[in-house]
Amino acid sequence: MVHESAYVDDGAVIGENTRVWHFCHVLGGAVIGARCSLGQNVVVMNKVTIGDNAKIQNNVSLYEGVELEQDVFCGPSMVFTNVYNPRSAVSRKDEYRRTLVRRGASIGANATIVCGVTIGRFAFIGAGAVINRDVPDYALMAGVPARRIGWMSEAGYRLTPVVPATGSDVEILRCEGTGALYERRGDVVVRQEEQ
């Protein structure tokens, strides 16, 4: 479904059951997966890839170099950049940096993602945060610049310790919403397989 006020340029690839809402512009080199939603006033530039089931809220621009894996959520008016040191009078189109948002990550409203970083799987970026370095899987990030303040589950709930870290820096975490268990070793969190 493409709203009559939206522009989709020739060459753009849009998957099944994707919705492109009011005043969007999808450029010809963009590839958008199935079951996505692009809210009002979203711009998707050339060479941007969006995986299946992504939700892009109002007023988000995805510039060249941005890649979203499946199930990514981008909150209203969050910002991606693609040049680290822009100047109006200096062309830096050959310096675009890749920004990768891994599967299941959520980015809150008005957050800023400085180009060249990777946001890990199921990470959660708080509203208004500024991300200027890579983010581990499952990390809960907040602040300017953002710092890790906790861990989040795949279901979007904060993880709480069941077995606190000991001298080995290993702890078992539980999802407050589903009860699923995760194991943290240092800055690496993995979901424990169901027994």
Side-chain angles (χ1 to χ4, degrees):
M1 191 286 299
V2 177
H3 190 270
E4 63 185 14
S5 66
Y7 288 92
V8 177
D9 294 350
D10 291 341
V13 176
I14 299 178
E16 279 187 56
N17 299 314
T18 288
R19 296 173 182 267
V20 180
W21 291 103
H22 305 72
F23 314 118
C24 290
H25 188 183
V26 179
L27 278 75
V31 177
I32 301 171
R35 301 176 315 282
C36 295
S37 176
L38 277 60
Q40 181 173 301
N41 200 40
V42 168
V43 176
V44 183
M45 301 296 285
N46 289 308
K47 301 178 185 173
V48 168
T49 303
I50 300 173
D52 294 343
N53 201 43
K55 305 292 186 264
I56 316 299
Q57 299 296 300
N58 296 353
N59 305 312
V60 175
S61 295
L62 293 100
Y63 298 113
E64 286 189 33
V66 173
E67 179 181 345
L68 308 181
E69 292 184 349
Q70 69 187 35
D71 301 321
V72 167
F73 176 87
C74 294
S77 302
M78 60 79 46
V79 176
F80 289 105
T81 68
N82 64 357
V83 174
Y84 193 74
N85 56 338
R87 290 286 195 201
S88 179
V90 179
S91 177
R92 292 207 162 102
K93 291 182 180 180
D94 59 340
E95 297 178 26
Y96 290 164
R97 295 186 184 190
R98 179 178 185 235
T99 299
L100 174 61
V101 182
R102 304 292 310 272
R103 177 180 178 222
S106 293
I107 303 171
N110 293 307
T112 298
I113 311 302
V114 177
C115 59
V117 301
T118 296
I119 296 174
R121 295 170 46 249
F122 302 104
F124 196 99
I125 311 304
V130 175
I131 300 297
N132 61 359
R133 63 184 182 275
D134 290 349
V135 173
D137 293 350
Y138 301 102
L140 171 58
M141 306 291 289
V144 179
R147 62 182 181 82
R148 190 185 55 73
I149 62 169
W151 303 99
M152 296 290 278
S153 73
E154 293 179 14
Y157 294 94
R158 193 156 188 172
L159 293 173
T160 56
V162 175
V163 178
T166 60
S168 65
D169 197 30
V170 176
E171 69 180 338
I172 304 300
L173 305 167
R174 177 180 286 124
C175 171
E176 294 177 356
T178 67
L181 296 177
Y182 295 75
E183 181 179 271
R184 181 186 67 80
R185 293 179 180 269
D187 282 340
V188 177
V189 173
V190 294
R191 182 176 178 179
Q192 292 188 335
E193 296 298 323
E194 306 235 355
Q195 302 280 334

